[in-house]
């Protein structure tokens, strides 16, 4: 394991009874990146994050965060990592001011001036009880608590769930401005694909505990394409037997082919059949995600 | 297992402050009532025929104000109310964090589970002891204000046993708070165990094993001497139960 990566897992597995919540996860998150960890509900995102923070013990495998073994040194890990957990669990009976005071006593490297700067950005009412804050304001308060110690790594677990689009944008802008500008790393789990597409430079997709792929966002968009093809004659199904083809929809002479690699090779193969049109279309992240998680019906080429 | 976090202690104190205040007020009112009622009870007993089995004992207790106060404070009121307070103090120590889902927030700070366990345990225990000691001092103070002559060393001799017994019951409740992760279940489980622990006190040979026999401090009532040996045994048992709770907490997934 090297300094280049802030998160590294090898064979990380968590089993709850008969369910493998996380299954043999091998993940590397590069220092300074914004990593989008995508997956449907129950895919294993939160369990992975809890293992990275030492809240949940792995059944097997190993995980290092900032080079530290999370089994042995989880306190040190949490000293250097900021966390915004799903639904921003906070003490409802405390006021915003009391919550900040509480965090200042427990967090490492707390800076009141920095906290005040974030309070100015989000304009939260200091004397309001946490229970009276809107969901968005709770998320903002949780973000202030996580950002104030200037963590090397910020872990966000579904941070914008329940926020309206304007608030979501403001939230993520603050994260990007504050963390990536000073060379920090953001690891963000989400199932809101649009926001991940906007902010992440690397994407990992997990489903049913299995990591299905990790790719650089630019590379992902370059390699993952959809090809619309209208053949002049009905093709032999064998034409679609190519390792770069992930799925094929359609029948007769019209097909939509999803390509995950070797676009040129696939096009060359399709062009061997007489055709009227072969059209290459970019996939957005949502379509790529659906492709990997099987969220869309379609003929999956074995 | 024994690390302490002052930041967490502040939060714990703030969360249990109403339990502490209400418990203290209940016990203090009971204490003052005992002082105020002494004259009335003495007069009443002169007019009411007492059952023969209790007559000698009651007459002996009522003959001396300090003895009356001791018997009615330690052997009747304090241990019963302190038992309830101890179980209530411990029930939500960890279970409350789990049910409110704040445990993941708390453990997102650089705080070890040992620090969390010991800080929560210690704050609850000290608060419980402050309530017991404070109410006992109110009892003594109100006796002085009422112009009664009080044997203070004799009346304070029952405190160590009460504190040790309360610590034992609080530790049980704390353990179940970790094990069940549910405050109500923790209260029910530790309440049932506490009731079961009362059983030995019904049998002559087993009496000494009961935590309630210790807390009611009948031996000290007669001798005026602190029961150090049994007090220390129950304090040690409290620590063993805490260690079991801390061990369990180390292995929990949140």
């Amino acid at each position: 394991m090297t300094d280049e990566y802030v998160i590294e897992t090898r064979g990380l597995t968590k089993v709850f009874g008969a369910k493998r919540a996380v299954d043999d996860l091998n993940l590397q998150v590069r220092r300074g990146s914004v990593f989008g960890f995508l997956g449907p509900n129950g895919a294993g995102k939160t369990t992975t994050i809890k293992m990275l923070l030492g809240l949940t013990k792995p059944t097997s495998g190993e995980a290092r965060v900032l080079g530290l073994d999370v089994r042995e040194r989880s306190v040190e890990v949490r000293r250097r990592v900021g966390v915004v957990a799903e639904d921003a669990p906070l003490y409802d009976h405390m006021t915003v001011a009391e919550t900040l005071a509480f965090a200042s006593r427990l967090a490492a490297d707390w800076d009141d001036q920095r906290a005040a700067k974030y309070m100015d950005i989000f304009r939260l009412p200091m004397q309001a009880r946490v229970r009276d804050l809107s969901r968005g304001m709770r998320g903002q308060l949780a973000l202030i608590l996580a950002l104030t110690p200037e963590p090397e790594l910020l872990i966000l677990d579904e941070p914008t769930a329940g926020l309206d689009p304007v608030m979501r944008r403001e939230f993520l802008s603050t994260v990007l401005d504050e963390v990536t500008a000073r060379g920090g790393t953001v690891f963000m789990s989400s199932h809101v694909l649009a926001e991940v597409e906007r902010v992440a430079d690397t994407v990992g997709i997990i489903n049913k505990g299995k990591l299905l792929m990790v790719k650089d966002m630019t590379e992902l968009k370059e390699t993952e394409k959809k090809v619309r093809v209208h053949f002049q004659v009905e093709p032999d199904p064998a034409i679609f037997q190519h390792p770069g083809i992930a799925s094929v929809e359609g029948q007769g002479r019209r097909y939509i082919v999803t390509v995950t690699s070797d676009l040129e090779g696939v096009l060359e193969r399709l062009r061997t059949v007489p055709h009227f049109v072969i059209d290459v279309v970019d996939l957005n992240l949502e379509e790529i995600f659906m492709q990997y998680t099987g969220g869309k019906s379609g003929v999956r080429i074995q | 297992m024994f690390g302490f976090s002052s930041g967490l202690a502040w939060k714990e104190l703030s969360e249990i402050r109403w339990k502490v205040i209400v418990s203290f007020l209940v016990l203090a009112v009971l204490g003052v009532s005992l002082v105020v009622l002494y004259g009335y009870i003495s007069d009443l007993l002169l007019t009411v025929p007492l059952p023969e089995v209790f007559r000698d004992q009651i007459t002996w207790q009522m003959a001396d104000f300090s003895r009356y106060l001791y018997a009615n404070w330690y052997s009747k009121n304090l241990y019963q109310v302190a038992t309830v307070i101890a179980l209530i103090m411990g029930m939500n120590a960890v279970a409350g964090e789990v049910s409110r889902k704040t445990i993941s927030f708390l453990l997102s700070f650089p705080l070890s589970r040992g620090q969390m366990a010991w800080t929560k345990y210690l704050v609850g225990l000290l608060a419980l002891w402050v309530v017991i000691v404070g109410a006992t001092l109110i009892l003594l103070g109100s006796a002085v204000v009422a112009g009664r002559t009080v044997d203070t060393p004799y009346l304070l001799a029952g405190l160590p046993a009460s504190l040790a017994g309360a610590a034992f019951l609080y530790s049980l409740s704390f353990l179940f708070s970790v094990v069940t992760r549910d405050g109500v279940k923790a209260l029910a489980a530790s309440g049932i165990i506490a009731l079961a622990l009362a059983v030995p006190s019904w049998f002559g040979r087993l009496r000494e094993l009961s935590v309630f026999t210790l807390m009611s401090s009948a031996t000290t009532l007669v001798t005026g001497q602190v029961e150090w040996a049994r007090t220390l045994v129950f304090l040690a048992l409290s620590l063993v139960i805490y260690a079991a709770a801390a061990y369990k907490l180390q292995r929990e997934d949140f």
Side-chain angles (χ1 to χ4, degrees):
Chain A
M1 299 208 176
T2 67
D3 237 20
E4 186 186 351
Y5 301 105
V6 291
I7 296 175
E8 287 187 281
T9 71
R10 279 188 195 151
L12 193 66
T13 300
K14 181 66 188 180
V15 178
F16 294 112
K19 190 188 174 197
R20 295 180 83 81
V22 175
D23 191 1
D24 194 25
L25 183 77
N26 295 296
L27 181 67
Q28 290 181 317
V29 176
R30 217 178 307 111
R31 191 178 289 276
S33 65
V34 178
F35 190 99
F37 195 44
L38 294 173
N41 289 328
K45 304 186 295 293
T46 299
T47 305
T48 301
I49 287 173
K50 285 183 171 182
M51 284 193 283
L52 294 177
L53 295 170
L55 294 176
T56 294
K57 308 265 186 292
T59 306
S60 61
E62 68 175 304
R64 284 183 176 270
V65 174
L66 300 166
L68 303 166
D69 185 333
V70 297
R71 282 179 196 260
E72 306 296 327
R73 301 181 66 187
S74 73
V75 175
E76 178 63 17
V77 166
R78 283 177 274 134
R79 194 183 303 280
R80 295 165 60 188
V81 173
V83 184
V84 177
E86 189 175 8
D87 294 330
L90 300 165
Y91 292 107
D92 283 344
H93 63 277
M94 289 186 187
T95 63
V96 171
E98 286 167 347
T99 304
L100 291 171
F102 170 67
S104 72
R105 292 186 188 100
L106 284 182
D109 304 322
W110 184 267
D111 183 324
D112 284 331
Q113 286 187 331
R114 227 179 285 139
K117 182 185 88 174
Y118 294 128
M119 286 298 292
D120 280 347
I121 294 175
F122 290 118
R123 297 176 298 278
L124 296 178
M126 286 293 264
Q127 294 313 315
R129 298 254 170 226
V130 168
R131 74 168 75 92
D132 297 326
L133 297 179
S134 68
R135 200 168 176 179
M137 289 165 121
R138 285 176 75 102
Q140 288 167 341
L141 179 56
L143 182 62
I144 291 170
L145 302 182
L147 286 177
T148 300
E150 287 201 334
E152 292 170 58
L153 167 65
L154 181 66
I155 295 182
L156 309 169
D157 187 8
E158 301 280 3
T160 59
L163 302 193
D164 64 52
V166 176
M167 220 171 242
R168 195 180 293 160
R169 191 172 282 267
E170 190 181 33
F171 186 99
L172 291 173
S173 300
T174 308
V175 169
L176 289 183
D177 290 350
E178 297 299 326
V179 181
T180 56
R182 55 176 171 76
T185 309
V186 179
F187 181 83
M188 179 172 82
S189 91
S190 180
H191 59 262
V192 182
L193 300 166
E195 70 187 20
V196 173
E197 190 166 15
R198 206 173 70 243
V199 301
D201 51 41
T202 314
V203 174
I205 295 179
I206 186 172
N207 193 24
K208 294 176 183 167
K210 287 265 187 198
L211 186 65
L212 302 178
M213 71 97 189
V214 176
K215 272 190 184 169
D216 182 271
M217 185 68 95
T218 316
E219 183 197 343
L220 190 68
K221 287 194 166 176
E222 276 172 9
T223 55
E224 310 257 343
K225 301 280 183 183
K226 199 168 266 192
V227 178
R228 277 198 299 244
V229 54
H230 187 176
F231 295 112
Q232 293 177 17
V233 294
E234 201 164 316
D236 179 349
I239 191 102
F240 300 118
Q241 299 288 351
H242 186 282
I245 295 177
S247 70
V248 179
E249 291 173 64
Q251 55 182 353
R253 291 183 291 167
R254 290 170 186 268
Y255 294 88
I256 295 174
V257 180
T258 304
V259 181
T260 54
S261 63
D262 190 20
L263 177 65
E264 284 310 312
V266 172
L267 291 175
E268 201 174 303
R269 194 173 173 87
L270 296 176
R271 283 184 191 123
T272 59
V273 179
H275 54 273
F276 295 115
V277 176
I278 292 183
D279 196 10
V280 180
V281 181
D282 283 345
L283 285 177
N284 61 28
L285 188 56
E286 185 171 346
E287 289 167 310
I288 295 169
F289 176 79
M290 293 297 191
Q291 193 60 48
Y292 277 95
T293 58
K296 191 173 185 179
S297 62
V299 182
R300 191 169 276 276
I301 302 298
Q302 300 300 315
Chain B
M1 194 176 278
F2 295 105
F4 188 77
S5 161
S6 54
L8 177 59
W10 174 86
K11 194 264 305 179
E12 291 298 308
L13 270 177
S14 134
E15 284 186 354
I16 62 171
R17 68 185 187 279
W18 284 111
K19 283 183 193 173
V20 171
I21 290 169
V22 171
S23 304
F24 175 76
L25 287 177
V26 168
L27 272 177
V29 167
L30 277 172
V32 173
S33 306
L34 288 178
V35 172
V36 171
L37 291 175
Y38 178 66
Y40 296 107
I41 294 172
S42 296
D43 293 345
L44 190 70
L45 290 177
L46 293 175
T47 59
V48 177
L50 294 169
E52 202 162 327
V53 283
F54 300 127
R55 189 180 301 148
D56 289 349
Q57 190 187 355
I58 292 174
T59 308
W60 178 73
Q61 282 179 13
M62 296 304 294
D64 179 85
F65 177 71
S66 294
R67 210 182 290 142
Y68 152 83
L69 217 49
Y70 188 110
N72 284 282
W73 182 242
Y74 292 113
S75 306
K76 293 190 178 69
N77 289 289
L78 179 62
Y79 91 84
Q80 293 174 3
V81 178
T83 296
V84 175
I85 297 171
L87 299 184
I88 289 175
M89 282 294 193
M91 65 188 261
N92 272 323
V94 173
E97 300 281 0
V98 177
S99 61
R100 288 179 298 178
K101 297 181 178 170
T102 47
I103 189 101
S104 58
F105 172 59
L106 187 56
L107 288 175
S108 69
F109 292 102
L111 183 75
S112 72
R113 294 186 188 200
Q115 277 178 306
M116 183 177 97
W118 182 239
T119 305
K120 280 177 169 284
Y121 179 81
L122 204 59
V123 169
L125 181 62
L126 290 178
L128 177 63
W129 282 358
V130 163
V131 167
I132 293 172
V133 172
T136 304
L137 293 178
I138 291 287
L139 173 89
L140 290 172
S142 58
V144 171
V145 169
R148 302 280 181 190
T149 305
V150 183
D151 182 349
T152 305
Y154 172 68
L155 276 168
L156 291 178
L159 255 184
S162 292
L163 296 177
F168 177 79
L169 293 165
Y170 166 76
S171 304
L172 268 181
S173 182
F174 186 88
L175 172 65
F176 282 109
S177 182
V178 174
V179 171
T180 65
R181 295 171 161 220
D182 180 307
V184 177
K185 285 181 185 167
L187 181 64
S190 49
I192 289 168
I193 303 269
L195 282 175
L197 290 174
V199 173
S201 63
W202 303 339
F203 304 99
R205 295 176 68 112
L206 298 175
R207 266 184 65 79
E208 303 300 301
L209 297 177
S210 169
V211 65
F212 298 113
T213 305
L214 173 76
M215 289 175 84
S216 58
S217 301
T219 311
T220 309
L221 170 68
V222 177
T223 64
Q225 301 298 310
V226 178
E227 291 186 83
W228 283 116
R230 284 202 301 144
T231 296
L232 292 175
V233 166
F234 273 93
L235 278 177
L237 283 174
S238 305
L239 275 179
V240 169
I241 295 170
Y242 161 73
Y247 179 83
K248 171 80 177 146
L249 192 63
Q250 292 283 356
R251 274 143 194 82
E252 290 288 287
D253 284 341
F254 295 110

